[in-house]
Amino acid sequence: MTRHFLDIPELTADELRTVLALAERADLPQPLAGKGAALIFEKPSNRTRHSMEMAVVQLGGHPVYTRGEEVGLDVRETVEDVTRVMAGYHAVLAARVFQHSVVERMAAVSDVPVVNMLSDHSHPLQALADVLTMQQVHGDLAGHTVAYVGDYNNVSRSLAEACVLLGADVSLGCPVGYCADDAELERLNSLGAGTVRQVHRAVDAVAGAVAVHTDTWTSMGQEAEKAERVKVFEGYTVDPAMMALAVPGAGFYHCLPAYRGYEVAAEVIDGPQSHVIRQAHNRMHAARGLMAFLLGVR
Ligand code: CP
Ligand code: NVA
């Protein structure tokens, strides 16, 4: 059966550990030798495009970057037609989309793996790199507290899911209206050995955390809400005073792109506790491990 990767919980905890182990393996076979991977982007990207393209090359394959407007998903032809056609050329189809339902529709008709490269709902490739980096810095995440401060969005959803699967305790500090609702908290808490709690004051979220994450307050597609969001998120900037409330030497993480002076102070993201460049580089290793896994490498 074709394995897709639209969301973290499609993996069991053991499978997630396998993907992370594959990400760190230097002797991977080349399951994409002589094959293609289509990378379709409806939104801009630096890390995701480059890390996926290079991961495809490292697995022996040839990436084909395609802008969403070029294929015209549901404009020039249906998502289903695009997918069925491309699945005949490529061994992997990956897409960055506005609506999560687009990657779901792709997976429904594709007989090759479909990978979500970010949607309005989730960013599972990012979460793989996030937990890979935290494991490298802090060791096994089980029993550790991982804090996320800011908007409960695609990045924090996938991060929380991956952390729970690995047995970490997630502490969300998100304002009312931009936070996980009770059903979402219940769902997250049912996924694995870890736990998720949520508070609405950012400073209450970081106590005891070995890792502090944040993300932009205004995601791609939400630009019109920026002024309102800047007001709502006042007090949610990860600054040196907030980092001082976490465990001494706690790591700072951000998926990037980052907006200094908004969700994070320059002293933090550019300071000694920041792991954001390693985290970005791990996007390539995580993508390689994930695609190898989907193609049957163990
Ligand atoms: N973190 C991330 O997905 O970055 P890009 O938008 O640059 O791909
Ligand atoms: N939450 C951000 C992540 C960017 C990588 C967005 O969706 O724009």
Side-chain angles (χ1 to χ4, degrees), residues 183-239:
E184 174 68 354
L185 289 172
E186 199 176 318
R187 184 190 71 83
L188 290 171
N189 275 296
S190 72
L191 291 177
T195 63
V196 180
R197 71 178 189 114
Q198 181 169 254
V199 293
H200 297 304
R201 283 197 337 148
V203 290
D204 295 334
V206 295
V210 296
V212 178
H213 291 247
T214 189
D215 184 17
T216 180
W217 295 337
T218 308
S219 285
M220 291 180 276
Q222 298 173 335
E223 289 77 8
E225 300 170 29
K226 184 174 175 194
E228 173 65 19
R229 284 171 169 269
V230 167
K231 273 190 239 158
V232 168
F233 285 99
E234 196 184 334
Y236 288 80
T237 304
V238 179
D239 57 14

Side-chain angles (χ1 to χ4, degrees), residues 118 123 153-155 215-216 219-220 255-257:
L118 180 147
H123 197 2
N153 62 9
N154 46 9
V155 165
D215 184 17
T216 180
S219 285
M220 291 180 276
C255 64
L256 305 179

Side-chain angles (χ1 to χ4, degrees), residues 147-165:
Y148 175 91
V149 171
D151 189 20
Y152 187 70
N153 62 9
N154 46 9
V155 165
S156 41
R157 175 178 288 109
S158 295
L159 171 66
E161 291 170 347
C163 287
V164 169
L165 278 183

Side-chain angles (χ1 to χ4, degrees), residues 10-143:
E10 291 159 13
L11 301 172
T12 65
D14 281 348
E15 286 174 338
L16 174 53
R17 289 193 186 90
T18 299
V19 170
L20 297 174
L22 289 171
E24 294 196 300
R25 249 175 66 183
D27 63 336
L28 280 185
Q30 300 228 308
L32 287 175
K35 297 180 179 175
L39 312 179
I40 304 169
F41 284 85
E42 291 191 326
K43 300 180 182 181
S45 172
N46 170 7
R47 281 144 291 275
T48 306
R49 176 183 177 179
H50 285 264
S51 61
M52 282 290 283
E53 287 207 18
M54 291 315 301
V56 168
V57 168
Q58 289 166 1
L59 293 172
H62 177 80
V64 178
Y65 170 80
T66 307
R67 293 285 309 175
E69 58 263 37
E70 188 182 348
V71 279
L73 296 171
D74 280 341
V75 177
R76 190 164 180 264
E77 52 187 323
T78 66
V79 167
E80 286 76 9
D81 282 355
V82 170
T83 304
R84 287 194 187 99
V85 169
M86 285 192 177
Y89 307 142
H90 297 288
V92 173
L93 305 181
R96 167 168 284 198
V97 297
F98 284 97
Q99 290 176 321
H100 191 71
S101 58
V102 171
V103 283
E104 290 176 332
R105 286 168 58 198
M106 290 176 69
V109 298
S110 177
D111 53 13
V112 303
V114 172
V115 175
N116 173 10
M117 297 195 293
L118 180 147
S119 70
D120 55 349
H121 180 72
S122 53
H123 197 2
L125 282 173
Q126 180 65 50
L128 294 180
D130 296 347
V131 293
L132 179 64
T133 312
M134 285 193 289
Q135 277 190 3
Q136 291 171 348
V137 173
H138 308 289
D140 187 348
L141 294 181

